[in-house]
Amino acid sequence: MTSICVLGLGYIGLPTASIFATKGRAVLGVDVVPAVVETINRGRIHIQEPDLDVLVRAAVQSGNLHAAGLPGPAETFIIAVPTPFVVAADGARRPDLGFVEAAARSLAPVVAAGNLIVLESTSPVGTTEKVKAWVEAELARLGRVVPGLLYAHCPERILPGQMLKELIANDRIVGGLTPEASARAKALYETFCTAQIFVTDARTAELAKLTENAFRDVNIAFANELSMICDKLGVDVWELIRLANRHPRVKILQPGPGVGGHCIAVDPWFIVDAAPAESRLLRTAREVNDAKPAHVLARIRAQAPRGAAIACLGLSFKANVDDLRESPALAIATQLAAEGYRVLAVEPNIRALPLGLVGRAELLDLPTALARAELVALLVDHRAFAALRRADLGGKPLVDTRGMIT
Ligand code: SAJ
């Protein structure tokens, strides 16, 4: 009998399902994409994350992890599907809970009395209550009566690039719709989490996760705004931050080409959408970070005429990952190509250009790109670029969005 059914085998669901399986639980992983199901059942992975391949292979080979297209009966269900936003006609960003709703409704045919349903997806306040309403609506439609279902939110906090370490070692927050649900969810995560698990209610747990990412977004926006002020005033922002951070109570983050990924650039909007009049700082931070790629593009245009060859060092959304989703570096490279620049992309973490750049850019190694470039744009602070020095650039103009090249 399956112990845990995990819906969504992406960046969160796959490591979570695998770790439960390696702890001896019988896990059914569910994904709507057949290729993902097939890949995982072969013990392979469809995403890049250090050591995840080893974990998934161990989980599948132990016989404890199996993937399928539909959920089956289990004691516990974990929903780990995407929660993106959609841009409404008036420009507002609204959460798209379509994947969560579909996952919740898909449970109705298989849930049994006393089952626990955990929402892990980062979600707007009130979503766990909605999950309950969707399951109940679908049960009613099927004419099923299933007493004692328990619901909880348990957001993940793991950092892409060091997920497996953080999955085990990060403190967690669990918020049930009832104290019994919280207690069951806490016991569930104690299976593998070696850190503290704090219990609260579902709405606080939902807002806590959004708050963590909004906090980081606001702090990165501060750094990005400083970098734009410094460009205007002719001050070296890296030197400035280094010095200001010598104050015992100042800890400024690092500017970059913008904020990417599927978390920090998304989650604050769920707060802004729910409390627009009160979320002035959060909205402005999002706007500042979203405006940074345009600032970087303006600096490149000012130093290189159209048609020039631009070495774009890094395409991913942050250092040392292959994840191109919502990447400001990719957006900058794509825009340069659209404007007629010759884009020489250097991205050591991918083997082929993303579709949007195919035929419009070249994927090169670092020495070749540097040799052919007329301007060098350092967009991602990958380890692979750490040894690069200004002296290696032969006097070519440099736009260093990460303050990496000295
Ligand atoms: N960035 C900067 N300057 C900085 C720090 C980050 O420009 O000083 C940029 C990065 O380059 C990247 C973006 O911000 O484009 C986000 O990167 P990140 O490493 O800060 O965070 P994510 O999106 O990979 O993961 C975040 C984490 N949240 C927090 O640190 C509060 C992670 O713990 C969450 O689990 C994850 O979001 C999530 O899934 O919500």
Side-chain angles (χ1 to χ4, degrees):
M1 159 83 178
T2 301
S3 166
I4 301 167
C5 177
V6 178
L7 291 96
L9 295 175
Y11 284 85
I12 302 306
L14 183 55
T16 304
S18 305
I19 205 143
F20 275 121
T22 57
K23 294 285 173 190
R25 311 287 289 261
V27 180
L28 174 67
V30 176
D31 204 285
V32 293
V33 180
V36 169
V37 171
E38 194 251 335
T39 304
I40 290 162
N41 280 335
R42 280 192 290 121
R44 307 292 285 271
I45 55 173
H46 59 293
I47 48 182
Q48 283 311 315
E49 175 65 29
D51 303 328
L52 182 61
D53 53 345
V54 178
L55 181 73
V56 171
R57 202 179 319 125
V60 172
Q61 280 175 358
S62 73
N64 283 335
L65 175 62
H66 179 75
L70 286 172
E75 285 160 25
T76 299
F77 297 87
I78 297 176
I79 299 175
V81 296
T83 44
F85 63 68
V86 284
V87 183
D90 62 357
R93 269 76 163 178
R94 303 257 147 74
D96 174 4
L97 297 179
F99 298 112
V100 177
E101 178 173 356
R105 288 185 186 275
S106 77
L107 298 182
V110 294
V111 283
N115 283 172
L116 171 67
I117 298 171
V118 178
L119 175 66
E120 272 215 29
S121 311
T122 304
S123 300
V125 175
T127 308
T128 311
E129 290 152 43
K130 285 186 176 157
V131 166
K132 177 173 188 273
W134 285 321
V135 173
E136 286 174 354
E138 203 59 20
L139 285 172
R141 203 181 62 78
L142 297 173
R144 293 193 72 209
V145 177
V146 182
L149 288 175
L150 300 171
Y151 298 86
H153 182 51
C154 184
E156 54 71 27
R157 294 166 144 176
I158 54 186
L159 194 73
Q162 48 193 64
M163 284 182 160
L164 297 188
K165 195 171 117 251
E166 294 209 353
L167 191 60
I168 294 162
N170 284 1
D171 286 347
R172 291 193 81 126
I173 298 173
V174 161
L177 289 186
T178 60
E180 190 189 354
S182 297
R184 277 272 297 278
K186 182 169 187 272
L188 174 72
Y189 287 97
E190 278 167 352
T191 311
F192 65 80
C193 177
T194 57
Q196 293 197 63
I197 300 178
F198 295 92
V199 170
T200 182
D201 56 74
R203 293 175 78 87
T204 307
E206 288 159 347
L207 190 54
K209 166 70 194 204
L210 302 179
T211 300
E212 291 160 14
N213 281 348
F215 173 86
R216 196 151 167 86
D217 196 46
V218 169
N219 281 278
I220 298 169
F222 184 85
N224 276 333
E225 187 160 294
L226 263 186
S227 75
M228 295 187 269
I229 293 168
C230 283
D231 284 343
K232 184 156 190 175
L233 302 182
V235 172
D236 178 346
V237 69
W238 315 103
E239 165 87 342
L240 175 80
I241 291 175
R242 217 171 11 252
L243 294 174
N245 279 348
R246 299 306 296 182
H247 185 289
R249 286 172 296 283
V250 174
K251 182 79 193 79
I252 303 168
L253 294 182
Q254 297 300 301
V259 168
H262 33 284
C263 309
I264 293 182
V266 175
D267 301 352
W269 288 121
F270 295 173
I271 303 179
V272 175
D273 175 63
E278 294 76 13
S279 307
R280 291 182 298 158
L281 182 61
L282 270 56
R283 182 204 308 271
T284 303
R286 277 283 66 249
E287 288 168 355
V288 167
N289 285 332
D290 275 353
K292 191 66 199 289
H295 178 82
V296 176
L297 281 163
R299 288 184 61 205
I300 294 172
R301 285 188 207 106
Q303 297 178 70
R306 281 187 191 210
I310 314 289
C312 291
L313 307 191
L315 294 177
S316 61
F317 91 88
K318 66 174 190 176
N320 308 319
V321 299
D322 71 335
D323 194 343
L324 303 181
R325 290 179 295 172
E326 312 299 325
S327 166
L330 178 61
I332 290 166
T334 306
Q335 180 61 27
L336 287 172
E339 291 179 16
Y341 287 97
R342 280 178 294 134
V343 172
L344 314 176
V346 183
E347 180 42 83
N349 301 295
I350 61 172
R351 289 203 193 94
L353 283 171
L355 279 183
L357 282 181
V358 171
R360 307 168 72 199
E362 293 174 75
L363 186 61
L364 301 171
D365 60 33
L366 184 59
T368 310
L370 291 180
R372 286 176 45 194
E374 290 159 73
L375 178 147
V376 177
L378 187 292
L379 301 177
V380 186
D381 45 341
H382 286 315
R383 239 177 263 120
F385 306 143
L388 200 56
R389 295 286 167 268
R390 198 175 269 272
D392 303 330
L393 305 183
K396 292 173 184 179
L398 168 71
V399 173
D400 182 359
T401 69
R402 293 287 179 176
M404 212 184 176
I405 304 178
T406 51

